[in-house]
Amino acid sequence: MMLHEQIESLITPMLKTLGLNIVRVLIIDGGKRKTLQVMIEREDNEPVGLSDCQNASNNISAILDVEDIIKDKYNLEISSPGLSRPLTKLADYDRFKGKYVKIQTTIPLKENTKNYSGKILENKDGIIVIEQEKTKEKIEIPFDMISKSNIMQIESEFRNILKNSKKTNKQKKEKDKNDK
């Protein structure tokens, strides 16, 4: 088992008790000091807040100090997935069906390219089917051939995010005004 997999299996039960899930664990070798990146999301799908990151960091640090599985000095980074959330597990493709993704494969699959983008149509027993945005062509990509995959925000989604953000800010201002 690779080190990042060992870390993930050690910290997953604790994060579950905090209502958090792991999106990704990465170990980046930065020369003198490694960086352990742990990307988390909330089980209730609410945005990850600073207190979530602080709680996760404190608890992960305690577990890793006791287990001592990282032999070198390292920095611990806790983050949320953000708008371009990576898809790291097969189940992510079921969860985000209908969303637009950018996928990079380990080898070229079609037209001598490793880069594909489109809407997730389905996960067919480990074969991810996407519909390319412009051509509407369906591409089948085996999950085990995906080296990198991220949610892709398209213009219409950004407009909705901005509209909802403006609405939420307006509601907060009105509430603050009424509370005074």
Side-chain angles (χ1 to χ4, degrees):
M1 186 182 292
M2 297 184 70
L3 183 57
H4 72 278
E5 293 169 324
Q6 289 176 323
I7 292 167
E8 187 169 340
S9 68
L10 272 174
I11 65 177
T12 295
M14 173 276 303
L15 288 173
K16 287 274 185 207
T17 66
L18 298 175
L20 302 170
N21 291 319
I22 293 175
V23 174
R24 178 177 70 195
V25 174
L26 281 179
I27 300 172
I28 301 165
D29 194 352
K32 291 182 182 178
R33 181 167 250 178
K34 294 179 192 272
T35 299
L36 171 61
Q37 289 183 343
V38 179
M39 190 177 288
I40 58 172
E41 64 186 356
R42 292 173 52 113
E43 287 182 342
D44 61 8
N45 293 323
E46 290 294 315
V48 172
L50 183 59
S51 62
D52 296 315
C53 291
Q54 289 172 330
N55 287 338
S57 179
N58 292 339
N59 285 282
I60 290 170
S61 291
I63 289 171
L64 294 178
D65 286 348
V66 169
E67 296 297 328
D68 197 29
I69 62 171
I70 302 175
K71 301 302 177 198
D72 302 318
K73 291 183 178 190
Y74 68 95
N75 293 320
L76 175 61
E77 288 181 5
I78 308 295
S79 68
S80 68
L83 289 176
S84 60
R85 182 199 192 280
L87 303 178
T88 59
K89 299 171 178 81
L90 190 55
D92 290 341
Y93 293 89
D94 293 322
R95 178 177 170 198
F96 293 103
K97 182 178 176 180
K99 294 286 186 183
Y100 287 85
V101 292
K102 282 185 181 181
I103 296 176
Q104 185 175 49
T105 58
T106 54
I107 60 169
L109 298 177
K110 190 170 174 83
E111 297 173 9
N112 208 24
T113 184
K114 294 180 182 181
N115 298 304
Y116 306 89
S117 63
K119 181 168 49 171
I120 301 171
L121 297 179
E122 66 180 315
N123 167 8
K124 218 170 27 177
D125 296 322
I127 305 294
I128 308 308
V129 182
I130 65 170
E131 179 182 75
Q132 291 189 304
E133 189 175 359
K134 292 179 182 164
T135 65
K136 302 299 181 198
E137 180 184 4
K138 292 179 181 157
I139 309 258
E140 294 187 354
I141 305 171
F143 177 73
D144 60 358
M145 295 183 85
I146 296 174
S147 61
K148 185 177 181 183
S149 180
N150 292 77
I151 296 286
M152 183 173 97
Q153 301 299 326
I154 59 173
E155 191 175 332
S156 62
E157 290 176 320
F158 273 123
R159 276 195 217 110
N160 286 336
I161 290 167
L162 288 172
K163 188 170 89 176
N164 290 337
S165 176
K166 286 178 184 176
K167 194 184 296 181
T168 302
N169 286 339
K170 186 177 180 182
Q171 289 170 345
K172 284 181 183 177
K173 285 179 183 176
E174 287 177 14
K175 184 182 182 306
D176 290 345
K177 188 177 174 181
N178 292 333
D179 287 346
K180 288 182 180 180

